[in-house]
Amino acid sequence: MWVPAYNEFFAHRFPALSKDAAQWIVDTGKVYGVGVDGPSVDPGQSTTYEVHGRLSKANMYILENVALNGTTLPPRGFKLVIQPVKIVGGTGGPVRILAFKNNPFELLRS
């Protein structure tokens, strides 16, 4: 059942990165992109999307709504292959994410 006041209140409340956290990630120089399991790297109430801006200016990719479905990735020793769907004129789109262990032909599974 859709209850507008209740759903509008919770629709924009989810964990996100702060501007400072985004800047720290950029400043490390060791990160190529950021993936989150929520709908955005920015807080839901954001109208300025500063986290998107900081990461994008550093030419980092942003993955949102990532569902690992029980798969646990090791802290190191794996490679990600991110396969985007090209949307003409779009600024984003769905992706398929593959994770490989050191052996590039051994797919990580849950």
Side-chain angles (χ1 to χ4, degrees), residues 38-50:
S40 179
V41 291
D42 278 291
Q45 298 88 358
S46 176
T47 58
T48 58
Y49 306 104
E50 292 181 68

Side-chain angles (χ1 to χ4, degrees), residues 24-108:
W24 180 85
I25 291 168
V26 169
D27 291 344
T28 67
K30 298 179 180 181
V31 180
Y32 297 99
V34 174
V36 296
D37 61 354
S40 179
V41 291
D42 278 291
Q45 298 88 358
S46 176
T47 58
T48 58
Y49 306 104
E50 292 181 68
V51 173
H52 272 87
R54 289 178 191 215
L55 298 175
S56 296
K57 284 179 187 170
N59 206 25
M60 300 176 100
Y61 61 81
I62 300 168
L63 302 172
E64 297 165 331
N65 291 310
V66 175
L68 294 178
N69 298 328
T71 299
T72 301
L73 297 174
R76 291 186 170 84
F78 68 94
K79 302 249 187 244
L80 287 181
V81 176
I82 300 163
Q83 302 171 312
V85 174
K86 178 67 173 168
I87 299 177
V88 177
T91 59
V95 298
R96 174 160 287 174
I97 303 171
L98 303 173
F100 293 92
K101 292 182 181 178
N102 288 329
N103 177 350
F105 299 106
E106 184 180 352
L107 186 64
L108 286 173

